[in-house]
Amino acid sequence: MTKRISVLGSTGSIGKSTLDIVRRSPVGTYQLVALTANRSVDEIVAQALEFQPEFVALADIEQEPALKAKLADTNIEIGVGPEALIEAARRRADFTMAAIIGSAGLEPTLAAVEQGQHVGLANKECLVCAGETFMAAVRRSGAKLLPVDSEHNAIFQVLEDDPKGVRRLILTASGGPFREASLEALGKVTRADALNHPVWSMGAKISIDSATLMNKGLELIEASWLFERPSAEIDVIVHPQSIIHSMVEYVDGSVLAQLGSPDMRTPIAYSMGWPARISAPVERLDFAKISGLTFFEPDTTKFPSLRLAREALEAGGQAPCVLNAANEQAVEAFLQGEISFLDIANVVESTLNAFVKFSSFGCAPDTVQAVLSLDKSARTTVDEQIVNL
Ligand code: NAD
Ligand code: MG
C-alpha cells in the first residue's frame, strides 16, 4: 500500500536524506503529501517537481511571488508563513519526518503529532524546549514517535527487543572536531573549523552544537523525555568512531548496542519503515577493517555546554527551554561572526543565571504559547549579553 509522507524541513540535511530514501524506493511506495522549508525557493521547487507533493510551504512570506511563479504550471498547492507550515503538517499523512531545525519546528511538529500517525522525530529542540507539552500531545493523539537522532534511534531499537530491567542508557558522542584541542586552541576556533565535523555531515547549527558538545546535552534531555529516565540514569561516553550509536545497560550487567556506519539514512529508514525494516543505501560495516573502538569520558571543563544541559535537565521547569533558546541564539551569533566559539557556552550560562536571578526556573511552560514566549525572552537576554561582551 502506498504510504503518504510529509517532510518538514525537506531542504535540510535530514530532509534531503529522507527524500533520497524515497527516490530509491520502488515507484508507488510513497506519495508525497507536503514539503516545507524556510526560504530556499529553488531547492524546494526542484524537490516539488521531482516528487510531486500535494502542498509546498515556505516559512518566509517574501518568497511567495517566486514560489508561485515557479510552480505556476503545476497542480501543486502552495502556502507561505508560519501558518502554512502548520497547514502542511496537518495534511493527512501516514508518516511525517519532523526535520525543521530549532524551536521554529515546534508548532508544525506538534501539528503532525496531533494527526495521531507516525512521526519521525529529528527536531530534538522540540523536546528540549517543550518536553512536557510535547509528550502530553503524543499521549493524547496516540501518535507513534519514532526517534531519528541516531543515538535515540539506537536505544529505541534496543528497547524494542528488550524493554525490561533497564539500569541506564549510554549515549555515545563523537566528541566533535575539537575533541583533542587545548582550551587555548578552542579560543581561536573559526566558523569554518567548527563546521567541519570529522564523522557526520550535517546542517550548520547541529554541526556547531556537536563542536561545543551542546548537541549531546540536548540529546541527554531528549533521551530523558523519550525514554522516561532521570538524568542519573543517562550517561554520555565519547566514542570517536561513531560506530556504536548508543547502548542500554540492564540490571544483570548485559549491555546491548546498535551499530552501523555513521550515515543518518539508517535511522531515517528505520523510522520510515517501522515496524518493518526497509533497505538503506549505506556503507556496510566491515569489522575486519575497523582498527579499534575507543571510549573516553567527556571533558566538561573544555566543553561546559554538556554540563549546562545536564544542570538544566536536573533543574527542570523553565531551564531546558531557556538553555535551548539561548543556545540557538548564541550559535546564530557565532555563525554571524558576532561572538567567539567559547562565548557560546558563556552566553548560555549567563542567560541561565539571569533567569534564575530574575524568576527562578519555576514551572515548565505548559502551553505552546508559553514555551514560545519564554523562548523569545531567553533570546532577548542573549542579545543583551552579547552587547555587553
Ligand atoms: P538543516 O539546517 O540542514 O535543515 C533545516 C531545515 O529546516 C531546512 O529545510 C530549513 O529550510 C528548515 N528551517 C530552518 N529554519 C526554519 C524556520 N525558522 N522555519 C521553518 N523551517 C526552517 O538541519 P538538519 O541538520 O537537517 O537538522 C534538522 C533537525 O534534525 C535538527 O533538529 C537537528 O538537530 C536534527 N538532527 C540532524 C542530524 C543530521 O545529521 N543532520 C542528526 C540528528 C539530528
Ligand atoms: Mg545525534
Side-chain angles (χ1 to χ4, degrees):
M1 208 177 73
T2 301
K3 207 173 214 177
R4 291 171 54 83
I5 79 165
S6 288
V7 185
L8 312 178
S10 65
T11 59
S13 161
I14 296 288
K16 284 194 273 201
S17 293
T18 305
L19 291 176
D20 187 50
I21 305 267
V22 172
R23 181 182 293 121
R24 292 164 189 263
S25 305
V27 176
T29 311
Y30 298 103
Q31 160 66 45
L32 264 293
V33 179
L35 297 177
T36 82
N38 191 18
R39 57 169 73 96
S40 4
V41 189
D42 289 340
E43 220 170 337
I44 207 163
V45 164
Q47 291 179 339
L49 295 176
E50 179 180 355
F51 294 99
Q52 297 291 320
E54 296 168 11
F55 188 71
V56 165
L58 286 177
D60 183 359
I61 51 174
E62 284 176 18
Q63 307 303 330
E64 188 172 23
L67 185 63
K68 236 184 203 158
K70 290 179 177 169
L71 290 176
D73 297 335
T74 70
N75 294 326
I76 301 168
E77 294 169 72
I78 64 160
V80 292
E83 282 306 316
L85 262 59
I86 295 172
E87 187 191 335
R90 280 201 185 120
R91 300 228 161 180
R92 193 186 67 74
D94 303 308
F95 173 86
T96 301
M97 176 56 79
I100 295 173
I101 186 103
S103 57
L106 178 61
E107 287 183 288
T109 303
L110 275 174
V113 162
E114 276 153 16
Q115 290 195 35
Q117 301 296 324
H118 292 186
V119 176
L121 186 71
N123 186 190
K124 67 191 88 186
E125 293 90 349
C126 284
L127 270 182
V128 178
C129 73
E132 228 155 79
T133 311
F134 194 91
M135 293 312 288
V138 171
R139 283 190 297 273
R140 212 171 37 241
S141 68
K144 183 71 189 171
L145 214 50
L146 298 153
V148 173
D149 216 348
S150 57
E151 298 76 4
H152 306 74
N153 185 266
I155 292 170
F156 183 85
Q157 292 195 35
V158 168
L159 293 178
E160 264 210 304
D161 286 336
D162 194 355
K164 298 180 301 295
V166 173
R167 185 165 175 274
R168 63 175 175 143
L169 310 179
I170 307 164
L171 295 175
T172 52
S174 71
F178 310 129
R179 186 173 61 81
E180 293 180 320
S182 66
L183 195 53
E184 195 198 351
L186 286 183
K188 299 189 190 117
V189 157
T190 65
R191 182 181 189 275
D193 299 332
L195 285 174
N196 187 17
H197 196 279
V199 187
W200 296 95
S201 144
M202 309 177 287
K205 191 259 177 184
I206 181 173
S207 296
I208 304 302
D209 286 347
S210 299
T212 59
L213 291 203
M214 180 57 93
N215 183 49
K216 213 47 56 181
L218 300 177
E219 291 184 357
L220 175 67
I221 301 174
E222 181 187 14
S224 173
W225 285 111
L226 283 175
F227 306 114
E228 299 176 316
R229 296 269 149 190
S231 165
E233 292 175 20
I234 312 171
D235 284 353
V236 171
I237 190 88
V238 175
H239 165 46
Q241 297 82 14
S242 295
I243 286 175
I244 296 180
H245 296 312
S246 277
M247 303 178 259
V248 179
E249 183 190 302
Y250 293 86
V251 286
D252 61 3
S254 300
V255 177
L256 302 192
Q258 184 260 358
L259 284 68
S261 295
D263 187 324
M264 287 306 293
R265 289 175 301 184
T266 294
I268 290 170
Y270 187 89
S271 71
M272 288 168 77
W274 189 89
R277 284 197 188 256
I278 60 172
S279 80
V282 301
E283 201 180 315
R284 306 289 138 172
L285 281 186
D286 180 346
F287 286 92
K289 288 202 182 123
I290 298 172
S291 54
L293 300 179
T294 52
F295 303 94
F296 306 89
E297 202 69 56
D299 183 342
T300 51
T301 312
K302 241 165 59 181
F303 301 106
S305 294
L306 181 56
R307 168 181 58 80
L308 293 173
R310 196 176 279 283
E311 286 170 6
L313 171 61
E314 289 170 3
Q318 301 182 333
C321 179
V322 171
L323 171 98
N324 179 65
N327 179 60
E328 284 193 34
Q329 195 75 351
V331 168
E332 186 54 31
F334 171 73
L335 288 170
Q336 298 300 325
E338 292 165 15
I339 64 171
S340 73
F341 182 75
L342 289 176
D343 274 338
I344 300 174
N346 291 338
V347 164
V348 172
E349 182 152 30
S350 50
T351 302
L352 282 163
N353 288 338
F355 271 79
V356 181
K357 210 174 324 156
F358 298 126
S359 58
S360 89
F361 287 129
C363 297
D366 58 357
T367 62
V368 176
Q369 283 330 307
V371 170
L372 295 178
S373 124
L374 180 61
D375 177 287
K376 198 167 164 201
S377 76
R379 286 169 194 261
T380 307
T381 306
V382 168
D383 291 343
E384 288 161 9
Q385 312 271 350
I386 291 175
V387 170
N388 294 327
L389 274 178

Short mmCIF file of all heavy atoms in Angstrom, two decimals, residues 90-126:
data_model
loop_
_atom_site.label_atom_id
_atom_site.label_comp_id
_atom_site.label_asym_id
_atom_site.label_seq_id
_atom_site.Cartn_x
_atom_site.Cartn_y
_atom_site.Cartn_z
N ARG A 90 -0.60 19.40 8.96
CA ARG A 90 -1.93 18.86 9.28
C ARG A 90 -2.51 18.01 8.16
O ARG A 90 -3.48 17.29 8.36
CB ARG A 90 -2.91 20.02 9.53
CG ARG A 90 -2.77 20.59 10.90
CD ARG A 90 -4.03 21.33 11.32
NE ARG A 90 -3.79 21.97 12.60
CZ ARG A 90 -3.86 23.28 12.81
NH1 ARG A 90 -4.24 24.09 11.83
NH2 ARG A 90 -3.60 23.77 14.00
N ARG A 91 -1.94 18.13 6.96
CA ARG A 91 -2.47 17.33 5.84
C ARG A 91 -2.27 15.85 6.13
O ARG A 91 -1.19 15.45 6.54
CB ARG A 91 -1.74 17.69 4.56
CG ARG A 91 -1.91 19.15 4.22
CD ARG A 91 -2.30 19.31 2.80
NE ARG A 91 -2.89 20.62 2.61
CZ ARG A 91 -3.33 21.05 1.44
NH1 ARG A 91 -3.25 20.28 0.37
NH2 ARG A 91 -3.87 22.24 1.33
N ARG A 92 -3.28 15.05 5.88
CA ARG A 92 -3.24 13.65 6.31
C ARG A 92 -2.05 12.89 5.71
O ARG A 92 -1.93 12.77 4.49
CB ARG A 92 -4.54 12.94 5.93
CG ARG A 92 -4.70 11.58 6.61
CD ARG A 92 -5.91 10.84 6.12
NE ARG A 92 -5.81 10.44 4.72
CZ ARG A 92 -5.06 9.44 4.26
NH1 ARG A 92 -4.31 8.74 5.11
NH2 ARG A 92 -5.04 9.14 2.99
N ALA A 93 -1.18 12.44 6.59
CA ALA A 93 -0.01 11.65 6.15
C ALA A 93 0.10 10.44 7.07
O ALA A 93 -0.26 10.51 8.24
CB ALA A 93 1.25 12.50 6.24
N ASP A 94 0.61 9.35 6.54
CA ASP A 94 0.84 8.17 7.39
C ASP A 94 2.13 8.35 8.19
O ASP A 94 2.27 7.84 9.29
CB ASP A 94 0.98 6.91 6.53
CG ASP A 94 -0.26 6.70 5.66
OD1 ASP A 94 -1.37 6.72 6.22
OD2 ASP A 94 -0.12 6.54 4.43
N PHE A 95 3.08 9.09 7.58
CA PHE A 95 4.37 9.31 8.24
C PHE A 95 4.82 10.74 7.96
O PHE A 95 4.75 11.21 6.81
CB PHE A 95 5.42 8.34 7.67
CG PHE A 95 6.82 8.62 8.19
CD1 PHE A 95 7.24 8.08 9.40
CD2 PHE A 95 7.71 9.42 7.48
CE1 PHE A 95 8.53 8.35 9.89
CE2 PHE A 95 8.98 9.69 7.97
CZ PHE A 95 9.39 9.15 9.17
N THR A 96 5.26 11.43 9.01
CA THR A 96 5.83 12.77 8.83
C THR A 96 7.24 12.78 9.37
O THR A 96 7.48 12.36 10.50
CB THR A 96 4.99 13.83 9.59
OG1 THR A 96 3.66 13.77 9.09
CG2 THR A 96 5.56 15.23 9.39
N MET A 97 8.17 13.25 8.56
CA MET A 97 9.53 13.45 9.04
C MET A 97 9.61 14.88 9.58
O MET A 97 9.42 15.84 8.83
CB MET A 97 10.54 13.26 7.90
CG MET A 97 11.98 13.55 8.31
SD MET A 97 12.54 12.57 9.72
CE MET A 97 12.90 11.03 8.90
N ALA A 98 9.86 15.01 10.89
CA ALA A 98 9.96 16.34 11.52
C ALA A 98 11.43 16.72 11.55
O ALA A 98 12.17 16.31 12.45
CB ALA A 98 9.38 16.29 12.93
N ALA A 99 11.87 17.48 10.56
CA ALA A 99 13.30 17.78 10.41
C ALA A 99 13.57 19.27 10.22
O ALA A 99 14.50 19.66 9.54
CB ALA A 99 13.89 16.98 9.26
N ILE A 100 12.69 20.10 10.85
CA ILE A 100 13.00 21.53 10.91
C ILE A 100 14.03 21.68 12.01
O ILE A 100 14.09 20.88 12.94
CB ILE A 100 11.71 22.33 11.22
CG1 ILE A 100 10.74 22.18 10.04
CG2 ILE A 100 12.02 23.81 11.50
CD1 ILE A 100 9.36 22.79 10.28
N ILE A 101 14.86 22.72 11.92
CA ILE A 101 15.87 22.91 12.96
C ILE A 101 15.35 23.90 14.01
O ILE A 101 14.76 24.92 13.67
CB ILE A 101 17.20 23.40 12.33
CG1 ILE A 101 18.30 23.46 13.38
CG2 ILE A 101 17.08 24.73 11.64
CD1 ILE A 101 19.24 22.32 13.26
N GLY A 102 15.55 23.56 15.27
CA GLY A 102 15.28 24.51 16.34
C GLY A 102 13.83 24.59 16.78
O GLY A 102 12.96 23.87 16.28
N SER A 103 13.57 25.51 17.72
CA SER A 103 12.22 25.64 18.27
C SER A 103 11.24 26.14 17.21
O SER A 103 10.03 26.07 17.41
CB SER A 103 12.22 26.54 19.50
OG SER A 103 12.75 27.80 19.16
N ALA A 104 11.74 26.65 16.08
CA ALA A 104 10.86 27.05 14.98
C ALA A 104 10.03 25.85 14.49
O ALA A 104 8.98 26.01 13.87
CB ALA A 104 11.68 27.61 13.82
N GLY A 105 10.51 24.64 14.78
CA GLY A 105 9.79 23.44 14.33
C GLY A 105 8.72 22.98 15.30
O GLY A 105 7.98 22.03 15.00
N LEU A 106 8.60 23.64 16.45
CA LEU A 106 7.69 23.11 17.48
C LEU A 106 6.23 23.04 17.01
O LEU A 106 5.60 21.98 17.10
CB LEU A 106 7.79 23.97 18.76
CG LEU A 106 6.86 23.55 19.90
CD1 LEU A 106 7.14 22.12 20.35
CD2 LEU A 106 6.98 24.51 21.08
N GLU A 107 5.70 24.15 16.51
CA GLU A 107 4.27 24.14 16.14
C GLU A 107 3.97 23.19 14.98
O GLU A 107 3.02 22.40 15.07
CB GLU A 107 3.79 25.57 15.86
CG GLU A 107 3.66 26.37 17.15
CD GLU A 107 3.10 27.76 16.91
OE1 GLU A 107 3.84 28.59 16.34
OE2 GLU A 107 1.94 27.99 17.27
N PRO A 108 4.75 23.23 13.89
CA PRO A 108 4.48 22.26 12.82
C PRO A 108 4.61 20.81 13.29
O PRO A 108 3.80 19.94 12.94
CB PRO A 108 5.53 22.58 11.75
CG PRO A 108 6.00 23.95 12.04
CD PRO A 108 5.77 24.22 13.49
N THR A 109 5.64 20.54 14.12
CA THR A 109 5.83 19.15 14.57
C THR A 109 4.65 18.73 15.44
O THR A 109 4.13 17.60 15.31
CB THR A 109 7.17 19.00 15.32
OG1 THR A 109 8.21 19.44 14.44
CG2 THR A 109 7.43 17.57 15.72
N LEU A 110 4.19 19.63 16.30
CA LEU A 110 3.02 19.30 17.13
C LEU A 110 1.78 19.07 16.26
O LEU A 110 0.96 18.19 16.55
CB LEU A 110 2.74 20.42 18.14
CG LEU A 110 3.54 20.34 19.44
CD1 LEU A 110 3.30 21.58 20.28
CD2 LEU A 110 3.19 19.08 20.23
N ALA A 111 1.66 19.85 15.19
CA ALA A 111 0.51 19.66 14.28
C ALA A 111 0.57 18.28 13.65
O ALA A 111 -0.46 17.61 13.48
CB ALA A 111 0.50 20.76 13.21
N ALA A 112 1.78 17.82 13.34
CA ALA A 112 1.92 16.46 12.79
C ALA A 112 1.57 15.42 13.86
O ALA A 112 0.86 14.46 13.60
CB ALA A 112 3.35 16.25 12.28
N VAL A 113 2.05 15.66 15.08
CA VAL A 113 1.76 14.73 16.19
C VAL A 113 0.25 14.62 16.38
O VAL A 113 -0.29 13.53 16.61
CB VAL A 113 2.45 15.23 17.49
CG1 VAL A 113 1.86 14.59 18.73
CG2 VAL A 113 3.96 14.96 17.42
N GLU A 114 -0.44 15.76 16.28
CA GLU A 114 -1.89 15.75 16.54
C GLU A 114 -2.69 14.90 15.55
O GLU A 114 -3.83 14.52 15.83
CB GLU A 114 -2.42 17.19 16.60
CG GLU A 114 -2.20 17.76 18.01
CD GLU A 114 -2.07 19.28 18.04
OE1 GLU A 114 -2.44 19.92 17.03
OE2 GLU A 114 -1.55 19.80 19.05
N GLN A 115 -2.08 14.57 14.42
CA GLN A 115 -2.76 13.65 13.48
C GLN A 115 -2.85 12.23 14.03
O GLN A 115 -3.60 11.40 13.52
CB GLN A 115 -1.97 13.54 12.18
CG GLN A 115 -1.96 14.74 11.33
CD GLN A 115 -1.45 14.33 9.94
OE1 GLN A 115 -1.71 13.23 9.45
NE2 GLN A 115 -0.74 15.21 9.32
N GLY A 116 -2.00 11.91 15.04
CA GLY A 116 -2.05 10.58 15.64
C GLY A 116 -1.42 9.49 14.78
O GLY A 116 -1.70 8.31 14.97
N GLN A 117 -0.58 9.88 13.81
CA GLN A 117 0.06 8.88 12.95
C GLN A 117 1.53 8.71 13.35
O GLN A 117 1.90 9.06 14.45
CB GLN A 117 -0.08 9.33 11.48
CG GLN A 117 -1.51 9.51 11.02
CD GLN A 117 -2.31 8.20 11.02
OE1 GLN A 117 -1.77 7.14 10.73
NE2 GLN A 117 -3.59 8.28 11.39
N HIS A 118 2.35 8.22 12.44
CA HIS A 118 3.78 8.02 12.74
C HIS A 118 4.55 9.33 12.49
O HIS A 118 4.37 9.96 11.45
CB HIS A 118 4.37 6.92 11.86
CG HIS A 118 3.83 5.56 12.18
ND1 HIS A 118 4.30 4.41 11.59
CD2 HIS A 118 2.86 5.18 13.05
CE1 HIS A 118 3.64 3.38 12.09
NE2 HIS A 118 2.76 3.82 12.97
N VAL A 119 5.38 9.69 13.46
CA VAL A 119 6.20 10.90 13.31
C VAL A 119 7.66 10.52 13.55
O VAL A 119 8.02 10.02 14.62
CB VAL A 119 5.78 12.00 14.31
CG1 VAL A 119 6.71 13.21 14.21
CG2 VAL A 119 4.34 12.43 14.06
N GLY A 120 8.50 10.76 12.54
CA GLY A 120 9.95 10.57 12.70
C GLY A 120 10.49 11.85 13.31
O GLY A 120 10.38 12.92 12.70
N LEU A 121 11.04 11.76 14.51
CA LEU A 121 11.46 13.00 15.20
C LEU A 121 12.97 13.19 15.08
O LEU A 121 13.76 12.53 15.76
CB LEU A 121 11.05 12.96 16.68
CG LEU A 121 11.33 14.28 17.40
CD1 LEU A 121 10.39 15.38 16.94
CD2 LEU A 121 11.25 14.11 18.91
N ALA A 122 13.35 14.12 14.19
CA ALA A 122 14.76 14.54 14.12
C ALA A 122 14.93 15.83 14.92
O ALA A 122 15.95 16.05 15.56
CB ALA A 122 15.16 14.77 12.67
N ASN A 123 13.90 16.66 14.89
CA ASN A 123 13.92 18.00 15.51
C ASN A 123 13.95 17.91 17.04
O ASN A 123 12.95 18.12 17.72
CB ASN A 123 12.67 18.76 15.02
CG ASN A 123 12.61 20.21 15.46
OD1 ASN A 123 11.58 20.86 15.28
ND2 ASN A 123 13.66 20.74 16.04
N LYS A 124 15.15 17.59 17.58
CA LYS A 124 15.28 17.36 19.03
C LYS A 124 14.94 18.58 19.86
O LYS A 124 14.51 18.46 21.00
CB LYS A 124 16.69 16.87 19.35
CG LYS A 124 17.79 17.88 19.13
CD LYS A 124 19.17 17.24 19.21
CE LYS A 124 19.61 16.72 17.87
NZ LYS A 124 20.85 15.96 17.86
N GLU A 125 15.12 19.80 19.28
CA GLU A 125 14.87 21.01 20.06
C GLU A 125 13.42 21.08 20.55
O GLU A 125 13.14 21.69 21.57
CB GLU A 125 15.22 22.26 19.24
CG GLU A 125 16.73 22.41 18.93
CD GLU A 125 17.15 21.73 17.63
OE1 GLU A 125 16.35 20.97 17.04
OE2 GLU A 125 18.30 21.96 17.19
N CYS A 126 12.49 20.46 19.80
CA CYS A 126 11.08 20.41 20.22
C CYS A 126 10.94 19.81 21.61
O CYS A 126 10.20 20.30 22.45
CB CYS A 126 10.27 19.46 19.32
SG CYS A 126 9.88 20.10 17.75
#
